[in-house]
Amino acid sequence: MRSAYGVDTVRNAERELMARLPEGALMQRAAAGLASVCAGLLRRVYGSRIVLLVGSGDNGGDALYAGARLARRGAGVSAVLLNPDRVHAGGLAALRAAGGRVPGDPYAAVAGADLVVDGITGIGGRGGLRGEAVRVARAVGAARDSGAVVVAVDLPSGVEADSGEVRGECVRADVTVTFGTYKPGLLVDPAREYAGVVRLVDLGLDLPLEADLEALQHEDVAALLPAPVAESDKYRRGVVGVVAGSMRYPGAAVLAVAGALRGGAGAVRYVGPGATADAVIARFPEALVHAWPPSKAGRVQAWVVGPGLGDGAEEALGDVLASDVPVLVDADALRPLDPALVRARTAPTLLTPHAGEAAALLGVGREEVEAGRLVAVRELAALYGAAVLLKGSTTLVAPASAGRPVRVNPTGTPWLATAGSGDVLSGLAGALLAAGLGSVDAGSVAAYLHGLAGRGASGGGPIGAQDVAEGVREAWRGVTGGSPGGLAPGGSVRGWLAPGGSVRGRAAPGAPFGTA
């Protein structure tokens, strides 16, 4: 499990550690790790041109001390001081003693850099960059386009550490070297897109057991996945009911059932219109088809309701919410959802909206949800008293109880943004609910497998929802005993850093994690 902690928690842990260490020792640890990553990104350190963007906080000090280490190895290091009157005096002295300099023309220095170190703002930055920092950030973007590698110190300047929001101009990094622990903004879009490859430098912080944000890894998912035993039968493995599809959207029913079957359900009971039921049986003869209403379909351990239901969504939703088993609510069934009705349930409820649906539930614009995904998923969970899986470029799963960690999914590919993909995810999560997983575990494990399946099926090219459903089997096998879809055992991602640590191409959304 990878964990991320908010700014206040990190600062408290840093203060406690600094009280036990010699003065300046913690900054030197950070600088050593930063310098090591930077050296690995260069073809050679000697003779390389490195530019430090130095703000007034500790991030500027980290950059200066790291620059001094690189200058002693023969690099030409220049420091652009954004606030000369408040620069870290010790760091600047160390850089100058090692042969570093402050350039007369900072923009010419940035334009000619092989590597730029972004130490403008730290984890306390709010509201995007301002003033001269905006011009510098734009110059960095131009240098990056010309081939310079950009390394952010702790997180890219201009992004918000706790929420992942980007409220204005910010630096786009190829690599972010973060200290002590991951910060939520490094794992959540839109900020994650600006972070590139994330490398963690362990400082020895004493952090709480419960984080603000969690990201599952292979071993976590493997431990949660249900596995049949000798005495298992189809009922003990979990029966999931699927209420989906309509005359207009019969494919939604087929895809939701596909996700449920590939998700390990012992049996799937499908309830829907006759023509849609025929489409389900034609594709999956093992499905059990029942007439309306869902409550008369027989015993299930969980329900999935909503994909492609159209006008019948409200009636179906009321019927399944009256049951005493977990219910996953998706797509059309989200529209008539009543918070009071959900909060009155004694069994778990899992909501799975995309950004547009989440915006409608919260009564805000879609752009507000997309700009503040972590805030939105927590607000939805609080409003409905239910677990919420917010789909999108960063899939988040928030628990019904406030104060518990939100899960962020580290797998996936932009090619999953295709019609029907969400229907497969709903069926998959429903099967895991029926197998006995809690709502947060079912949602986050389903998102993890769904992302792996999409990545494996895609191979970098277009896919359809049926490809994703078929890929779940291989993703499951890989998590429990192999490494599909580009993920190595333990959940790290291969292929982002070239041998020796140099950046291969540009880090894409979904960038991986590593430890320096």
Side-chain angles (χ1 to χ4, degrees), residues 56-57 98 117 181 183 187 224 243 271 284 291 294 297 325 328 366 392 435 445 457 486:
S56 58
V117 177
T181 183
K183 284 73 182 179
L187 312 184
L224 290 168
V243 190
V271 181
F284 299 109
V325 300
L328 183 150
R366 179 178 185 135
V445 168

mmCIF file of all heavy atoms in Angstrom, residues 56-57 98 117 181 183 187 224 243 271 284 291 294 297 325 328 366 392 435 445 457 486:
data_model
loop_
_atom_site.group_PDB
_atom_site.id
_atom_site.type_symbol
_atom_site.label_atom_id
_atom_site.label_comp_id
_atom_site.label_asym_id
_atom_site.label_seq_id
_atom_site.Cartn_x
_atom_site.Cartn_y
_atom_site.Cartn_z
ATOM 1 N N SER A 56 11.661 31.149 -1.875
ATOM 2 C CA SER A 56 12.097 31.598 -0.549
ATOM 3 C C SER A 56 11.936 30.540 0.533
ATOM 4 O O SER A 56 12.380 30.748 1.658
ATOM 5 C CB SER A 56 11.305 32.848 -0.156
ATOM 6 O OG SER A 56 9.910 32.576 -0.166
ATOM 7 N N GLY A 57 11.328 29.422 0.230
ATOM 8 C CA GLY A 57 11.070 28.413 1.254
ATOM 9 C C GLY A 57 12.152 27.349 1.322
ATOM 10 O O GLY A 57 13.218 27.455 0.701
ATOM 11 N N ALA A 98 30.825 25.895 -4.167
ATOM 12 C CA ALA A 98 31.065 24.757 -5.061
ATOM 13 C C ALA A 98 31.259 25.179 -6.509
ATOM 14 O O ALA A 98 31.465 24.327 -7.381
ATOM 15 C CB ALA A 98 29.893 23.776 -4.971
ATOM 16 N N VAL A 117 15.735 22.460 -12.230
ATOM 17 C CA VAL A 117 15.226 22.023 -10.934
ATOM 18 C C VAL A 117 14.252 23.072 -10.424
ATOM 19 O O VAL A 117 14.628 24.225 -10.201
ATOM 20 C CB VAL A 117 16.374 21.814 -9.929
ATOM 21 C CG1 VAL A 117 15.805 21.416 -8.560
ATOM 22 C CG2 VAL A 117 17.339 20.747 -10.426
ATOM 23 N N THR A 181 7.226 11.298 2.234
ATOM 24 C CA THR A 181 6.023 10.553 1.898
ATOM 25 C C THR A 181 5.406 11.177 0.657
ATOM 26 O O THR A 181 5.740 12.298 0.267
ATOM 27 C CB THR A 181 4.997 10.596 3.056
ATOM 28 O OG1 THR A 181 3.855 9.804 2.710
ATOM 29 C CG2 THR A 181 4.533 12.020 3.343
ATOM 30 N N LYS A 183 2.447 13.048 -1.346
ATOM 31 C CA LYS A 183 1.428 14.030 -1.020
ATOM 32 C C LYS A 183 0.202 13.761 -1.906
ATOM 33 O O LYS A 183 0.347 13.339 -3.053
ATOM 34 C CB LYS A 183 1.923 15.461 -1.264
ATOM 35 C CG LYS A 183 2.896 15.960 -0.188
ATOM 36 C CD LYS A 183 4.255 15.320 -0.305
ATOM 37 C CE LYS A 183 5.200 15.770 0.798
ATOM 38 N NZ LYS A 183 6.522 15.098 0.650
ATOM 39 N N LEU A 187 -0.915 12.293 -6.572
ATOM 40 C CA LEU A 187 -1.618 11.089 -7.001
ATOM 41 C C LEU A 187 -2.961 11.376 -7.653
ATOM 42 O O LEU A 187 -3.598 10.463 -8.181
ATOM 43 C CB LEU A 187 -1.854 10.159 -5.791
ATOM 44 C CG LEU A 187 -0.660 9.874 -4.876
ATOM 45 C CD1 LEU A 187 -1.065 8.861 -3.806
ATOM 46 C CD2 LEU A 187 0.534 9.381 -5.658
ATOM 47 N N LEU A 224 -6.970 -9.336 -1.176
ATOM 48 C CA LEU A 224 -8.402 -9.068 -1.096
ATOM 49 C C LEU A 224 -9.231 -9.904 -2.064
ATOM 50 O O LEU A 224 -10.425 -10.101 -1.844
ATOM 51 C CB LEU A 224 -8.662 -7.587 -1.385
ATOM 52 C CG LEU A 224 -8.200 -6.598 -0.307
ATOM 53 C CD1 LEU A 224 -8.244 -5.167 -0.840
ATOM 54 C CD2 LEU A 224 -9.069 -6.717 0.938
ATOM 55 N N VAL A 243 -29.384 -5.276 -12.750
ATOM 56 C CA VAL A 243 -30.556 -4.631 -13.335
ATOM 57 C C VAL A 243 -30.025 -3.535 -14.250
ATOM 58 O O VAL A 243 -29.622 -2.466 -13.796
ATOM 59 C CB VAL A 243 -31.474 -4.035 -12.252
ATOM 60 C CG1 VAL A 243 -32.794 -3.582 -12.878
ATOM 61 C CG2 VAL A 243 -31.734 -5.036 -11.141
ATOM 62 N N VAL A 271 -31.980 -9.102 -14.530
ATOM 63 C CA VAL A 271 -33.366 -8.658 -14.593
ATOM 64 C C VAL A 271 -33.441 -7.493 -15.575
ATOM 65 O O VAL A 271 -32.750 -6.480 -15.404
ATOM 66 C CB VAL A 271 -33.881 -8.203 -13.220
ATOM 67 C CG1 VAL A 271 -35.339 -7.762 -13.322
ATOM 68 C CG2 VAL A 271 -33.731 -9.312 -12.187
ATOM 69 N N PHE A 284 -24.145 -14.747 -23.018
ATOM 70 C CA PHE A 284 -23.749 -15.467 -21.805
ATOM 71 C C PHE A 284 -24.855 -16.438 -21.401
ATOM 72 O O PHE A 284 -25.709 -16.125 -20.557
ATOM 73 C CB PHE A 284 -23.469 -14.489 -20.654
ATOM 74 C CG PHE A 284 -22.359 -13.523 -20.940
ATOM 75 C CD1 PHE A 284 -22.636 -12.177 -21.162
ATOM 76 C CD2 PHE A 284 -21.041 -13.949 -21.008
ATOM 77 C CE1 PHE A 284 -21.617 -11.282 -21.431
ATOM 78 C CE2 PHE A 284 -20.016 -13.062 -21.284
ATOM 79 C CZ PHE A 284 -20.300 -11.725 -21.499
ATOM 80 N N ALA A 291 -37.783 -12.313 -14.640
ATOM 81 C CA ALA A 291 -38.768 -11.283 -14.985
ATOM 82 C C ALA A 291 -38.799 -10.215 -13.901
ATOM 83 O O ALA A 291 -38.315 -10.413 -12.791
ATOM 84 C CB ALA A 291 -40.144 -11.926 -15.143
ATOM 85 N N PRO A 294 -37.011 -6.886 -9.688
ATOM 86 C CA PRO A 294 -35.787 -7.496 -9.179
ATOM 87 C C PRO A 294 -35.982 -8.247 -7.866
ATOM 88 O O PRO A 294 -35.359 -9.295 -7.642
ATOM 89 C CB PRO A 294 -34.852 -6.291 -8.996
ATOM 90 C CG PRO A 294 -35.346 -5.274 -9.974
ATOM 91 C CD PRO A 294 -36.828 -5.453 -10.009
ATOM 92 N N ALA A 297 -36.482 -11.966 -8.059
ATOM 93 C CA ALA A 297 -35.535 -12.740 -8.874
ATOM 94 C C ALA A 297 -34.844 -13.858 -8.101
ATOM 95 O O ALA A 297 -34.178 -14.694 -8.702
ATOM 96 C CB ALA A 297 -34.481 -11.807 -9.458
ATOM 97 N N VAL A 325 -29.070 -6.182 1.107
ATOM 98 C CA VAL A 325 -27.734 -6.570 0.629
ATOM 99 C C VAL A 325 -27.046 -5.346 0.036
ATOM 100 O O VAL A 325 -27.697 -4.336 -0.273
ATOM 101 C CB VAL A 325 -27.827 -7.693 -0.435
ATOM 102 C CG1 VAL A 325 -28.504 -8.934 0.142
ATOM 103 C CG2 VAL A 325 -28.546 -7.216 -1.688
ATOM 104 N N LEU A 328 -24.801 -1.500 -5.667
ATOM 105 C CA LEU A 328 -23.988 -0.581 -6.452
ATOM 106 C C LEU A 328 -24.925 0.191 -7.369
ATOM 107 O O LEU A 328 -25.692 -0.398 -8.125
ATOM 108 C CB LEU A 328 -22.944 -1.341 -7.267
ATOM 109 C CG LEU A 328 -21.970 -0.494 -8.093
ATOM 110 C CD1 LEU A 328 -20.630 -1.214 -8.232
ATOM 111 C CD2 LEU A 328 -22.511 -0.176 -9.497
ATOM 112 N N ARG A 366 -19.621 20.554 -13.977
ATOM 113 C CA ARG A 366 -18.683 19.454 -14.186
ATOM 114 C C ARG A 366 -17.233 19.913 -14.023
ATOM 115 O O ARG A 366 -16.406 19.188 -13.465
ATOM 116 C CB ARG A 366 -18.886 18.851 -15.576
ATOM 117 C CG ARG A 366 -17.926 17.697 -15.875
ATOM 118 C CD ARG A 366 -18.152 17.067 -17.223
ATOM 119 N NE ARG A 366 -17.286 15.908 -17.387
ATOM 120 C CZ ARG A 366 -17.675 14.742 -17.866
ATOM 121 N NH1 ARG A 366 -18.929 14.570 -18.225
ATOM 122 N NH2 ARG A 366 -16.832 13.744 -17.985
ATOM 123 N N GLY A 392 -12.833 8.402 -13.738
ATOM 124 C CA GLY A 392 -12.205 9.451 -14.518
ATOM 125 C C GLY A 392 -10.719 9.243 -14.652
ATOM 126 O O GLY A 392 -10.205 8.146 -14.429
ATOM 127 N N ALA A 435 -19.133 -11.239 -3.342
ATOM 128 C CA ALA A 435 -18.175 -12.185 -2.759
ATOM 129 C C ALA A 435 -17.837 -11.841 -1.319
ATOM 130 O O ALA A 435 -17.125 -12.612 -0.650
ATOM 131 C CB ALA A 435 -16.903 -12.217 -3.592
ATOM 132 N N VAL A 445 -10.568 -2.448 -5.647
ATOM 133 C CA VAL A 445 -10.021 -3.636 -6.307
ATOM 134 C C VAL A 445 -10.559 -3.739 -7.730
ATOM 135 O O VAL A 445 -9.824 -4.060 -8.673
ATOM 136 C CB VAL A 445 -10.348 -4.901 -5.498
ATOM 137 C CG1 VAL A 445 -10.039 -6.166 -6.307
ATOM 138 C CG2 VAL A 445 -9.555 -4.915 -4.195
ATOM 139 N N ALA A 457 -5.164 -4.950 -22.565
ATOM 140 C CA ALA A 457 -5.884 -5.098 -23.832
ATOM 141 C C ALA A 457 -5.436 -4.063 -24.852
ATOM 142 O O ALA A 457 -5.385 -4.328 -26.051
ATOM 143 C CB ALA A 457 -7.390 -4.970 -23.585
ATOM 144 N N GLY A 486 2.102 -4.468 -18.014
ATOM 145 C CA GLY A 486 3.184 -3.539 -17.732
ATOM 146 C C GLY A 486 3.423 -3.303 -16.266
ATOM 147 O O GLY A 486 4.256 -2.502 -15.896
#
